[in-house]
Amino acid sequence: MQDRYVGDIGDFGKLGFLRALEIAGLSLGVNWYYTTPSGSEKIQGDGRHLINQKYFDCDQNLASTLYKLSKSQTSRNLVTLENSHVLQTGIFFRAQVPGKESRVNWHQHALDALQQADLVFLDPDNGLSVKSVSRNSKKAVKYVFDDEIRDYLVRGQSVAFYQHRPHKSEHLYLSEAKSRIDNICNSLKFSIWVLTLPRHSVREIFVISPDERQDRLISKAVLSITNGSWNKYEIIKLQSTQPRT
């Protein structure tokens, strides 16, 4: 996550879902996987897809807050977003993702900071790590690694993570992602929900739960967020579910 994305349409979808999780009764932790733009990113127009006024029907308070942040020259950043209280139970970890030498320590600090949350949301720029980017690569800051997800799951926390849709067929992509999650969970019993955010750039939110109580509350939140105005305007849609296995 980068400051320049704060308040865009992708932010609206993911924060809308996190608010639904809170309303359902889950306490949240957020690891922003915070990065700063480098090289050509500094002149790209990312974050330009702002919230259309018609989408305010989905969540008036959230949309208004994010829209104001997105239009600000000085306040479009994660610090202001956290202080806006759009999430009431949120525990935030905002330390910048470091290079390879410090990533283990950074991850441990995140685990420590977010240990009281029922569900931890991970917000990397791109999503799950890919074969072409090793832990030693400068691009590794844009990804979450499998063991980082598993470390939250094994201590009983649910995990949701943000994923940009790669350039491959939907069927193949989702099949590969679920197989990857199976490997991450290994011997754990778990449930999966896949939510799609189709506006502009297509993204997914994958939700993994190792806990039956959290299953029920996540299902309640998913039902809430994928109905009504959110569904009408196709801001966030239920892609698939996989019951506890």
Side-chain angles (χ1 to χ4, degrees):
M1 177 63 173
Q2 301 180 22
D3 288 330
R4 63 195 175 125
Y5 301 140
V6 169
D8 69 4
I9 190 66
D11 228 17
F12 185 46
K14 67 189 178 189
L15 286 166
F17 178 53
L18 294 180
R19 281 161 70 92
L21 290 169
E22 281 191 323
I23 292 170
L26 289 157
S27 61
L28 303 180
V30 179
N31 183 343
W32 293 115
Y33 274 67
Y34 181 59
T35 64
T36 55
S38 60
S40 62
E41 287 184 332
K42 294 180 180 179
I43 59 174
Q44 290 174 354
D46 290 351
R48 66 189 180 279
H49 298 301
L50 305 184
I51 305 167
N52 190 300
Q53 292 289 323
K54 66 183 179 181
Y55 301 152
F56 278 46
D57 289 348
C58 300
D59 187 325
Q60 178 74 33
N61 177 265
L62 177 62
S64 177
T65 298
L66 293 181
Y67 189 78
K68 289 176 182 177
L69 288 179
S70 70
K71 301 294 284 185
S72 173
Q73 296 296 315
T74 57
S75 300
R76 193 179 192 185
N77 55 63
L78 289 178
V79 174
T80 308
L81 177 60
E82 291 176 4
N83 291 335
S84 71
H85 303 296
V86 293
L87 297 179
Q88 299 298 315
T89 68
I91 306 168
F92 302 104
F93 184 74
R94 198 182 349 104
Q96 186 168 336
V97 184
K100 60 180 181 178
E101 298 85 359
S102 306
R103 182 142 180 166
V104 172
N105 290 335
W106 170 86
H107 174 56
Q108 186 58 54
H109 289 320
L111 287 169
D112 294 342
L114 304 175
Q115 62 183 329
Q116 298 303 318
D118 293 324
L119 181 145
V120 178
F121 180 69
L122 310 178
D123 197 12
D125 282 353
N126 291 352
L128 284 171
S129 60
V130 294
K131 292 180 180 179
S132 60
V133 177
S134 72
R135 288 180 183 267
N136 297 331
S137 170
K138 291 182 179 180
K139 294 182 179 180
V141 299
K142 293 180 172 292
Y143 297 92
V144 57
F145 288 90
D146 295 15
D147 59 304
E148 293 170 348
I149 294 174
R150 182 172 171 80
D151 284 345
Y152 293 104
L153 295 170
V154 295
R155 65 183 189 183
Q157 292 174 290
S158 294
V159 172
F161 64 89
Y162 194 64
Q163 172 75 48
H164 275 267
R165 176 81 66 89
H167 297 294
K168 57 179 66 176
S169 73
E170 180 178 282
H171 175 76
L172 177 61
Y173 157 62
L174 291 175
S175 176
E176 290 178 349
K178 289 181 180 179
S179 177
R180 178 90 170 263
I181 290 171
D182 285 344
N183 290 332
I184 291 171
C185 294
N186 198 1
S187 60
L188 295 172
K189 293 182 178 180
F190 61 94
S191 302
I192 302 174
W193 296 257
V194 184
L195 303 172
T196 296
L197 286 68
R199 286 293 173 186
H200 302 294
S201 173
V202 181
R203 293 136 293 180
E204 266 75 36
I205 296 175
F206 290 86
V207 189
I208 313 167
S209 170
D211 179 270
E212 290 186 11
R213 169 188 168 270
Q214 294 168 17
D215 280 4
R216 294 192 296 272
L217 299 180
I218 293 168
S219 291
K220 182 179 178 181
V222 168
L223 181 63
S224 170
I225 200 68
T226 55
N227 281 285
S229 295
W230 292 98
N231 182 63
K232 174 184 175 182
Y233 294 117
E234 297 187 330
I235 303 297
I236 187 165
K237 301 169 65 176
L238 178 62
Q239 180 69 245
S240 66
T241 62
Q242 178 178 313
R244 178 169 300 279
T245 58

